[in-house]
Amino acid sequence: MGARAQMSEASIEMLERDDVLALQQGKLASLGKRLAGSREWRAHFARAGLKPEDLADRHALEAVPTLEKSDLRELYPFPFLTVPSDTVQRFFATSGTTGLPILFGFTERDVEVLLRGQVGRILRAVGIGPGDRVYQGYGYGTWIGGSALDEGIKAVGATNFPIGPGRGELAVRWVADHGYTGCSISPLWMMTLIDIARRQGMDPKRDWKLRVGVFGGQSVSKAFKDELEAALPDGFMAHNIYGTTEAGGPILGVSCPYSHERDEMHLINEDTVLTEIVDPDTLKPVSPGESGEIVITTLDKEASPVVRWRTRDLVRLSERPHDCPCGRKGYPLIGRIIGRTDDMLKVRGVILYPSQVEDIIAGTPGTAKEAWQIYIDREDRVLEEITVAVERRRNAELTADQIRESILRETHSRLGIRLNVECHDEGALPRYEAKAQRVHVRTGDNS
Ligand SMILES: [Zn+2]
């Protein structure tokens, strides 16, 4: 990339909010023109008495029907592809945790210009660039994580070690011997690697050179990040990143060195992906400081664009979304992902998100932050017992009983609910290389 292109990239990041909105407006109009050529999209807009060309007026966007999983499933196997299939360079798929994975096409430009630029911007925001050696620990295959990071690492001119998830014993050796300075990895897996390294007699704080990491695939609490940072070399910064396959990759949010301490992320690619944060029931935009669901519209993507895709991810809009000392005023700040509307548990009339339980576990001294589970026991359709299982670290000062008592007390006082708590020895519960499955339902007849 030449100096000219670098300059224009930097100036896009420093745009005022009004300029970002104007940029989005122009792109919405051309998106409308592109979608007008697709029978599927015309039918979708017609549900609200609109046509794709109406996007030329930004206010029309609020009237466009949102996109749900069921809309995509009806158009199986290539929903809203929007370009001739022979121009698709490759497909990525959603994880398909509920039902069949959904395939999203990417043209050559979608991968090599758009995605590369978006992930590159994320890596530059956390200070990864030429001279960095990056341990790329996200998975490959049809999952977009690993391939997306490959593009970003190319864009910033760093050196890629595309290891992917797993191979823990080898990985901890390589982190030391190869002198990696950056990493893109699941935070849970990094915690496990630290543990493996220590058991091999290594001290990650002293023996590793890591100074920055982007952590995605899973949203973790501030306490978890603090523990990671404390175990790694002095000055190491753990940055949360956030994205989805539907948005075109892990490209929506990242913290900057200034927002890191407040655990807030910039919606860093809002010039290419328009984000609404809305009340999940009324679909009206929330105000600063309020929580809502992220709804996205891809402005530049050629194959498989989405318009008002409901991510189901709940997030808090910052109290001061346009006020970061880094200068990215046009790119609002959001808190970490609170949970998915799909993950919401309703227990004896009380609404509960797994992330709330995680915050309590992470804040309890002596627990393993990466290993915990919620078990729901259904004896019949009515009665539900919830059990939280945690692990006590080998060297913890608190006893297993004290840990149990503390979590019982906190869940009761903070969440207003009485749960069962089990405290196991370190290593008893499952570890996850990527996304953790925290909630298990056990029914009376098969357990
Ligand atoms: Zn910032």
Side-chain angles (χ1 to χ4, degrees), residues 11-32:
S11 58
I12 287 173
E13 285 186 48
M14 293 303 141
L15 287 177
E16 297 291 331
R17 183 61 181 164
D18 284 346
D19 298 327
V20 174
L21 293 177
L23 205 56
Q24 290 177 340
Q25 180 59 69
K27 289 185 176 186
L28 274 174
S30 21
L31 175 65

Side-chain angles (χ1 to χ4, degrees), residues 187-188 191 220-228 362 369-370:
L188 308 177
M191 197 65 103
V220 291
S221 65
K222 174 95 172 57
F224 190 108
K225 278 201 317 174
D226 289 347
E227 188 167 315
L228 272 184
K369 310 286 182 267
E370 73 280 19

Side-chain angles (χ1 to χ4, degrees), residues 314-363:
L314 290 174
V315 77
R316 202 179 115 273
L317 182 59
S318 171
E319 309 254 343
R320 293 181 301 154
H322 301 290
D323 199 11
C324 189
C326 76
R328 293 180 182 85
K329 293 185 200 137
Y331 301 85
L333 289 164
I334 57 171
R336 77 150 171 138
I337 306 301
I338 300 165
R340 291 177 59 74
T341 54
D342 302 348
D343 292 343
M344 189 178 84
L345 302 171
K346 209 166 178 182
V347 190
R348 299 191 290 268
V350 178
I351 286 174
L352 178 71
Y353 287 98
S355 63
Q356 294 175 302
V357 175
E358 182 194 9
D359 283 343
I360 290 173
I361 295 170

